[in-house]
Amino acid sequence: MKNALNFIKQNNLIKPGERIGVGVSGGSDSMALVHFLHANAEELDIEVVAICVDHGIREESRDEANFVLAKCKEMGVRAYKFRIDSPKLAKERNLSIETAAREGRYGVFSSLIKKDVVDKIALAHHLSDQAETILMHIFRGSGMAGARGMETTRDKYYIRPLLNTSKEEIISYISEHSLDYINDSSNNDNSYSRNFLRNVVLPEISSKWPGAINAIAEFGKALKEDDDYINSQIFDDAIIYEEKEAKIPLSYFLYPSPIISRMIIKALKNIGVKYDFEKKHVALIKELALSRENGKRVSLPFDVVAIREYDYLTLANRKKEVLQFKCELRCGEVEVPGGGKLIVRRVKDFTPQAGKLFFDYRKVPKTAEWRFRQDGDTFTKFGGGTKKLKSFLIDRKVPQRKRDILPVLADGNEVLVIAGVEISDKVKVDGVPTAYSVEFNF
């Protein structure tokens, strides 16, 4: 993987002094990347931090996350572990498990970047991943924007140091440094689109054309050059951007089709829609703009609505960001997605203090855990009386924007502690020598 260091420098992926978070699943690619960056940390003048996200999909995922923490500790790399409930997120948002896991994972990454825990996130995508991505986008009906493949740098914060490194080089590096890694059993499930490409399609193609993976990746690079040039010819100063909305003058839809398509994709990205739309969806937006029906609207994927309004075509992002958080009850500090920090300590002094709550941890069921609020949650007020959690938070005048990122300690739908707000009567402190204190700082 010697060329990876040159690749990092040539593409200015990392600046001296940066704290680089590495997404580590425990697989060969991510274990190689975190080891490689840590081994070259002095030359690059960086600090490496491992970030392990347990997606909650498989029974063994908790053990795998603990494996990552242990191996990173052996390397001398500081590591953070997070758990998200991907199946639940997929059900709530009508997403595939793959997409739900991805959204949850990037939600964790985004939160860490916003809180300055890390400056950038390094992802372990390599040359074969690039070839798979290009083929997936082509088969899905993507235009040039998707067929160009993954970017070396995305959104300024996500970098792919191994994008020009082959899988064979990674395996050789793993062997050379005797690195342990996990074989994820789900990688053999060909019902997942990417696994089908990786395990069935690409091996068949490569058996006929041995250089296929490199050829596909080079094809993506050629498309990128052409796409970048066409994008440079776009003049879109008259597009009006408001909160999660883009108003495109209808006159812009008289431009050549390649310009219009890229203008739409750019507008979508500027209102927070990061996924590549398929050509058929871009065609629906064009058709709507050129129609004469004022007020007509079209619903599109990813919670996007297109509306023809007088002299404008409006693209509105109706998506609500859903952050995931789960954590067992224990003493210590926990970073909470959304920008908060949860602090739990064992104390003997119960003197009231601003922002600090006390509760009897002995009264908390072992199955209770910290999470964000859910539909059906109830809360027994201090002093008695049970209410729906939503109603209680309204009564306490907790701002709506904070309600969804407020950690609660709950057993099922019974909330026992609302961090930073109140404890349930069921866990109040009654003449015990020690209890837990809890603070929550936004």
Side-chain angles (χ1 to χ4, degrees), residues 249-279:
L250 293 178
S251 58
Y252 275 16
F253 287 87
L254 299 177
Y255 289 151
S257 184
I259 297 292
I260 298 172
S261 298
R262 286 164 176 79
M263 183 176 58
I264 291 171
I265 295 298
K266 182 179 179 181
L268 287 167
K269 288 182 177 179
N270 284 341
I271 61 173
V273 182
K274 304 298 183 182
Y275 302 99
D276 292 320
F277 263 53
E278 297 178 23
K279 288 183 68 176

Side-chain angles (χ1 to χ4, degrees), residues 1 166-178:
M1 288 184 5
S166 70
K167 181 68 175 181
E168 290 73 22
E169 289 177 273
I170 292 172
I171 294 300
S172 176
Y173 184 89
I174 287 281
S175 176
E176 179 185 350
H177 295 278
S178 302

Side-chain angles (χ1 to χ4, degrees), residues 24 31 50 52 62-81 180 182:
V24 184
M31 293 302 292
C52 180
R62 287 183 185 272
D63 293 335
E64 292 172 356
N66 290 330
F67 166 86
V68 170
L69 295 186
K71 292 302 174 182
C72 287
K73 185 177 181 180
E74 289 178 12
M75 292 181 199
V77 176
R78 183 155 51 94
Y80 295 100
K81 179 179 73 171
D180 294 325
I182 295 167

Side-chain angles (χ1 to χ4, degrees), residues 35-87:
H35 184 277
F36 175 80
L37 289 178
H38 182 61
N40 290 278
E42 186 174 345
E43 180 172 348
L44 294 170
D45 188 18
I46 60 173
E47 179 186 352
V48 177
V49 178
I51 303 164
C52 180
V53 180
D54 174 359
H55 298 95
I57 298 174
R58 295 171 293 108
E59 290 184 5
E60 60 266 33
S61 61
R62 287 183 185 272
D63 293 335
E64 292 172 356
N66 290 330
F67 166 86
V68 170
L69 295 186
K71 292 302 174 182
C72 287
K73 185 177 181 180
E74 289 178 12
M75 292 181 199
V77 176
R78 183 155 51 94
Y80 295 100
K81 179 179 73 171
F82 299 88
R83 181 176 174 82
I84 57 178
D85 192 341
S86 299

Side-chain angles (χ1 to χ4, degrees), residues 126-266:
H126 51 77
L127 199 63
S128 293
D129 293 326
Q130 179 73 303
E132 293 164 12
T133 298
I134 290 170
L135 290 181
M136 280 184 67
H137 286 174
I138 291 172
F139 296 155
R140 203 178 64 198
S142 172
M144 192 180 290
R148 60 189 277 167
M150 294 180 283
E151 301 290 338
T152 304
T153 302
R154 201 201 84 187
D155 299 335
K156 298 188 297 185
Y157 299 110
Y158 298 95
I159 59 174
R160 297 183 171 97
L162 302 182
L163 201 56
N164 205 40
T165 301
S166 70
K167 181 68 175 181
E168 290 73 22
E169 289 177 273
I170 292 172
I171 294 300
S172 176
Y173 184 89
I174 287 281
S175 176
E176 179 185 350
H177 295 278
S178 302
L179 300 181
D180 294 325
Y181 62 92
I182 295 167
N183 283 311
D184 185 342
S185 60
S186 67
N187 287 337
N188 299 318
D189 185 353
N190 291 335
S191 65
Y192 293 113
S193 300
R194 185 173 288 275
N195 287 351
F196 180 73
L197 271 174
R198 177 180 300 149
N199 300 331
V200 180
V201 177
L202 273 174
E204 283 290 318
I205 293 175
S206 297
S207 67
K208 180 71 175 177
W209 296 283
I213 288 176
N214 279 297
I216 294 168
E218 288 300 316
F219 171 72
K221 290 178 184 177
L223 284 184
K224 179 182 183 301
E225 291 179 0
D226 291 350
D227 194 35
D228 285 344
Y229 173 75
I230 298 173
N231 278 316
S232 72
Q233 304 305 303
I234 296 175
F235 301 97
D236 56 357
D237 293 346
I239 295 180
I240 300 171
Y241 290 102
E242 297 173 351
E243 187 176 1
K244 291 193 173 184
E245 287 190 356
K247 298 181 70 173
I248 306 174
L250 293 178
S251 58
Y252 275 16
F253 287 87
L254 299 177
Y255 289 151
S257 184
I259 297 292
I260 298 172
S261 298
R262 286 164 176 79
M263 183 176 58
I264 291 171
I265 295 298
K266 182 179 179 181

Side-chain angles (χ1 to χ4, degrees), residues 115 336-342 372 398-399 401-407 419-421 439-442:
K115 290 182 287 188
V336 180
K341 179 183 286 187
L342 185 69
F372 292 143
V398 176
R401 61 185 175 83
K402 291 186 176 183
R403 293 175 203 160
D404 289 333
I405 55 173
L406 197 64
V421 179
E439 301 172 71
F440 180 60
N441 302 315
F442 281 104

Side-chain angles (χ1 to χ4, degrees), residues 252-313:
Y252 275 16
F253 287 87
L254 299 177
Y255 289 151
S257 184
I259 297 292
I260 298 172
S261 298
R262 286 164 176 79
M263 183 176 58
I264 291 171
I265 295 298
K266 182 179 179 181
L268 287 167
K269 288 182 177 179
N270 284 341
I271 61 173
V273 182
K274 304 298 183 182
Y275 302 99
D276 292 320
F277 263 53
E278 297 178 23
K279 288 183 68 176
K280 64 182 180 182
H281 300 128
V282 174
L284 285 173
I285 294 172
K286 293 180 189 176
E287 183 181 337
L288 177 62
L290 296 174
S291 73
R292 296 182 178 275
E293 297 182 59
N294 189 56
K296 186 177 179 181
R297 63 178 58 208
V298 173
S299 295
L300 298 161
F302 314 119
D303 299 307
V304 173
V305 177
I307 313 165
R308 192 188 191 283
E309 300 175 307
Y310 300 103
D311 297 326
Y312 292 92
L313 187 286

